Amino acid sequence: MVQKELKQPADYLLGRKTFDIWEGYWPEHADFWPGINDGTKYVLSKTRKKSDWKNSVFLKSLADIKKLKKSKGPDIQVWGSSKLIQLLLKNDLVDELRLKIHPLTLGKGKKLFDNEAIPAAFTLTESIVTTAGVIITSYKRAGKVKTGNVDA
């Protein structure tokens, strides 16, 4: 499933901190992730306006993201960017979640789902467990939330 993510044509929506990390690494390591330099990197940032990394576009607001979501083109993936993901969840802009659950606890850390995420239903479309015990899942948006029933 992870290899599929790396091989399919996509554009990327990133927060500024994640972009800063990627910008310093991926231009020199594209042999591992073919296409990473070719995909458009959309960056939500209040401070950055340009980059020498090809195909980098800077967005200023949630309105810019909504406009991007309505446009045609390849899938838009978000990697890392926890604050950006929280903003997308809060504004009902997530069509699919791909989660990687590692078998460890680290104590305090960043939360993926904060108190401002709106209720949203998702349906499991794919899952695997790696030999290291990492659970990799894919969920697609499934309409309104239905409560009161847990299927085993």
Side-chain angles (χ1 to χ4, degrees):
M1 188 182 305
V2 174
Q3 292 302 323
K4 180 173 77 173
E5 291 173 350
L6 300 181
K7 291 180 181 177
Q8 68 187 31
D11 289 339
Y12 308 93
L13 176 60
L14 306 168
R16 197 242 342 130
K17 290 179 185 177
T18 300
F19 178 79
D20 287 348
I21 295 166
W22 281 33
E23 177 186 38
Y25 182 81
W26 285 115
E28 303 302 321
H29 297 89
D31 52 321
F32 177 77
W33 191 344
I36 186 60
N37 290 317
D38 297 326
T40 301
K41 280 71 68 181
Y42 296 99
V43 186
L44 181 63
S45 177
K46 294 177 183 174
T47 58
R48 299 258 332 239
K49 293 180 173 49
K50 65 179 185 169
S51 171
D52 291 333
W53 191 14
K54 72 178 183 174
N55 302 324
S56 297
V57 175
F58 290 84
L59 307 176
K60 297 178 183 177
S61 68
L62 181 62
D64 291 340
I65 294 173
K66 289 179 179 180
K67 184 177 176 183
L68 175 63
K69 185 172 175 11
K70 291 179 183 177
S71 67
K72 293 186 179 187
D75 285 346
I76 300 170
Q77 299 178 359
V78 179
W79 289 73
S81 305
S82 60
K83 288 183 182 179
L84 174 59
I85 291 171
Q86 291 174 351
L87 178 69
L88 297 174
L89 288 167
K90 177 181 175 182
N91 289 278
D92 198 19
L93 294 171
V94 177
D95 296 324
E96 182 177 2
L97 292 169
R98 293 181 184 166
L99 304 176
K100 296 164 186 76
I101 303 164
H102 294 260
L104 57 93
T105 59
L106 297 175
K108 292 183 178 183
K110 295 179 182 180
K111 292 182 180 181
L112 176 60
F113 304 105
D114 69 0
N115 293 333
E116 294 186 7
I118 64 162
F122 290 85
T123 299
L124 180 68
T125 57
E126 194 173 0
S127 66
I128 63 168
V129 179
T130 70
T131 56
V134 178
I135 302 167
I136 304 173
T137 61
S138 181
Y139 296 90
K140 291 228 182 215
R141 189 62 200 266
K144 295 185 179 189
V145 173
K146 296 175 188 168
T147 61
N149 188 11
V150 177
D151 295 324

